[in-house]
Amino acid sequence: MLLRTFVMIILTLMILPVLIIIPLSLSSSMAFEFPPPSYSLKWYENFLENDQWTDGFIRSIIVAFFTSIIAMAIGTMASLAMDRLEFPGKKIFMNLMIAPMVIPLVIVGIAMYHSFSFYKMTNTLTALVLAHSIIAIPIVVITVSAKLKGLDRNLELAALSLGSNPIGVFFKITLPLIRSSVVAGALFAFITSLDEVVVSIFVSGATTKTLPVVMWENMRTQVDPTIAAVSTLLIVCTFIVMIAQAVVTRRMGEKKQAEL
């Protein structure tokens, strides 16, 4: 009981500064004041009426969507390779797969900029999707690998002994068993892409700014509660994705128990 109380206090202290953004986004004041003198939706209206904000938001959603798909596919295949295969340089391969999570994002951003500049891909959505995918793949790898460690290999061996090929075993046996972790990895990749700003600054251009980049540039020139409104929208999107992940995982777990 004491440990649970302590954990709740720590979580409250961590989340409270983030939640303060919500009332600030509803403030009628031209500056940040807490508590707000009165409440208004004008900063949300300002967000919706500003093409720079709305275009950045839509662009971020598009990039995050394709990033989650690419990261899910490559991360799942990499996890299977690391768990199922033995090949020379396996440890090096594993370290390379999680390297983008360990290396500082500034260094990753500089490397991305030079690579995409060579192929004249900067200031394109393709470059943003590829850059965000490289950052998100380690998250999928870790999530799926943890599920594969507890998977019963006898089910796959039984399917192979009954005449199924490896591809059929993956889609009919392995994938249904690890589906919850694959979905969770994809959703975490979506959140990672949606909030990414450092690498996006290096890769994006005047016509491909994502919402975090627009927020960063506006903070350098002017600060008004519109940024709080945008931050609130990002918080809401993140919570929706997290709730969706929890619901999907729970339903898949219930379905698996029902089948057993």
Side-chain angles (χ1 to χ4, degrees), residues 5-260:
T5 303
F6 179 75
V7 171
M8 290 300 297
I9 292 174
I10 296 298
L11 290 176
T12 302
L13 293 176
M14 292 175 61
I15 297 175
L16 189 59
V18 177
L19 297 181
I20 290 178
I21 293 292
I22 298 176
L24 288 177
S25 69
L26 298 170
S27 174
S28 61
S29 174
M30 296 293 294
F32 288 105
E33 295 184 32
F34 189 83
S38 59
Y39 294 94
S40 173
L41 294 175
K42 66 179 182 179
W43 302 116
Y44 290 92
E45 295 176 0
N46 185 47
F47 166 76
L48 295 174
E49 293 173 356
N50 191 318
D51 291 339
Q52 187 182 32
W53 287 111
T54 54
D55 289 347
F57 180 74
I58 295 173
R59 195 174 295 118
S60 291
I61 295 295
I62 294 173
V63 171
F65 174 76
F66 286 105
T67 295
S68 62
I69 294 176
I70 294 175
M72 176 182 63
I74 297 178
T76 301
M77 290 189 292
S79 300
L80 287 169
M82 292 187 296
D83 187 75
R84 299 290 193 262
L85 303 179
E86 292 295 334
F87 52 90
K90 181 177 179 179
K91 291 185 177 180
I92 298 176
F93 175 78
M94 295 172 63
N95 291 332
L96 289 175
M97 291 306 301
I98 64 171
M101 182 180 289
V102 180
I103 299 174
L105 288 177
V106 174
I107 298 176
V108 175
I110 295 173
M112 298 285 184
Y113 173 75
H114 283 286
S115 299
F116 292 135
S117 294
F118 181 79
Y119 295 103
K120 298 181 180 180
M121 291 178 59
T122 54
N123 193 23
T124 63
L125 290 181
T126 302
L128 280 170
V129 171
L130 293 176
H132 288 194
S133 298
I134 292 174
I135 299 173
I137 285 173
I139 299 174
V140 180
V141 169
I142 293 174
T143 305
V144 176
S145 295
K147 186 70 174 181
L148 287 172
K149 293 296 181 182
L151 191 65
D152 187 1
R153 291 292 306 277
N154 291 325
L155 297 174
E156 297 175 332
L157 296 176
L160 289 172
S161 65
L162 293 174
S164 180
N165 55 47
I167 297 178
V169 171
F170 172 75
F171 284 104
K172 295 179 181 179
I173 304 297
T174 308
L175 184 59
L177 292 174
I178 65 173
R179 188 182 303 161
S180 59
S181 62
V182 172
V183 173
L187 292 176
F188 286 135
F190 184 92
I191 295 174
T192 300
S193 173
L194 192 65
D195 295 336
E196 174 54 40
V197 60
V198 178
V199 173
S200 299
I201 291 175
F202 286 95
V203 177
S204 64
T207 59
T208 57
K209 296 176 183 176
T210 59
L211 187 59
V213 175
V214 176
M215 294 174 64
W216 168 256
E217 291 184 349
N218 276 267
M219 288 181 63
R220 295 174 61 188
T221 56
Q222 60 180 2
V223 179
D224 61 46
T226 304
I227 294 179
V230 178
S231 301
T232 301
L233 291 175
L234 289 176
I235 292 171
V236 171
C237 289
T238 302
F239 273 107
I240 290 175
V241 173
M242 292 177 65
I243 292 172
Q245 185 270 332
V247 171
V248 170
T249 302
R250 181 178 179 181
R251 288 185 177 179
M252 288 182 177
E254 292 176 350
K255 183 179 180 181
K256 183 178 179 181
Q257 291 179 356
E259 291 175 351
L260 295 175

